[in-house]
Amino acid sequence: MKRIILSEQEIDKICQRVAKEIDEKIENEEKIPLLVGVMNGALNFMMSLMKYIKHPIFTDYIRISSYFGTKRTNNVRLIKDVSFDCTDRTVIIIEDIIDSGYSMKFLTEHIKLNGAKKVYVCALIDKAVAREVEVPVDFCGYVMNENQFVAGFGLDYNELERNIPFVYEVDENDLKKMDELLEKDKK
Ligand code: IMP
Ligand code: MG
């Protein structure tokens, strides 16, 4: 039995609540705020979240790389930049999970350098216990107080499990099965 961290229903409730918080925050913006989803992990969350946002928004995507398997590297690389002009605009970065904080630190600095008026951070999961560098999480779906590896709903293990509709804790058995699948795929 999988240990479910966030069920489909819980994720939907989170999206409704967070969308409301975002709507309240961007009520009086002069320029249309920009939502930037961090590919690929945040795509599922962004799609579910933005359908509940009522305020007019622009959407864009950014891609970075910093993670391999269940082991993190602090070396963040930009793979695809935003296409929108962020100048004088409020930007909300949408992430699946914030772990050490290195990726989000890089992203907020990068978007600020692009001229954004204000940068907000929104994450489905805040793995607060694993934080190594401070990053403010302005909108948070769920705070995880255990340092465990999770997958599903966009979150992956070596690109697997993004399609699973809920978030679960990956155990030794799951890892073994996925490693076998990946090994077979190489042949
Ligand atoms: P950070 O730079 O350490 O904060 O790592 C953030 C990125 O690592 C996230 O965007 C995820 O892609 C990935 N990540 C961190 N923890 C997990 C996890 O438990 N499961 C899947 N991906 C994770
Ligand atoms: Mg990610």
Side-chain angles (χ1 to χ4, degrees), residues 150-162:
V150 293
F153 198 67
L155 292 145
D156 74 306
Y157 170 71
N158 285 326
E159 298 301 326
L160 283 174
E161 303 294 76
R162 294 199 199 271

Side-chain angles (χ1 to χ4, degrees), residues 38-42 64 95-97 103 156 162:
V38 185
M39 293 197 290
N40 293 328
I64 52 165
E95 231 329 4
D96 50 3
I97 190 164
S103 306
D156 74 306
R162 294 199 199 271

Side-chain angles (χ1 to χ4, degrees), residues 55-185:
H55 194 282
I57 46 161
F58 288 142
T59 56
D60 200 354
Y61 301 91
I62 195 165
R63 186 160 192 185
I64 52 165
S65 159
S66 63
Y67 223 78
F68 304 99
T70 58
K71 289 216 177 65
R72 181 176 32 77
T73 62
N74 297 340
N75 197 343
V76 184
R77 273 190 311 134
L78 184 68
I79 293 175
K80 183 222 164 275
D81 203 352
V82 280
S83 316
F84 257 84
D85 182 7
C86 298
T87 313
D88 300 331
R89 200 182 296 284
T90 288
V91 177
I92 305 173
I93 304 173
I94 313 289
E95 231 329 4
D96 50 3
I97 190 164
I98 304 180
D99 187 20
S100 67
Y102 284 106
S103 306
M104 194 45 80
K105 184 170 186 280
F106 171 88
L107 286 164
T108 49
E109 284 169 2
H110 177 73
I111 298 289
K112 274 182 197 152
L113 278 177
N114 278 1
K117 182 182 103 181
K118 179 97 185 81
V119 181
Y120 291 117
V121 172
C122 172
L124 174 63
I125 299 175
D126 181 359
K127 209 192 268 187
V129 283
R131 200 59 37 83
E132 289 176 26
V133 282
E134 208 185 314
V135 280
V137 185
D138 304 286
F139 308 101
C140 175
Y142 175 77
V143 179
M144 217 167 85
N145 289 313
E146 286 168 74
N147 198 353
Q148 60 209 9
F149 193 81
V150 293
F153 198 67
L155 292 145
D156 74 306
Y157 170 71
N158 285 326
E159 298 301 326
L160 283 174
E161 303 294 76
R162 294 199 199 271
N163 57 313
I164 305 300
F166 51 84
V167 179
Y168 72 95
E169 183 186 350
V170 177
D171 64 20
E172 287 299 317
N173 199 33
D174 300 319
L175 279 181
K176 192 168 162 270
K177 277 194 205 148
M178 288 191 278
D179 282 338
E180 277 168 16
L181 258 178
L182 291 164
E183 205 46 51
K184 241 174 97 185
D185 183 71

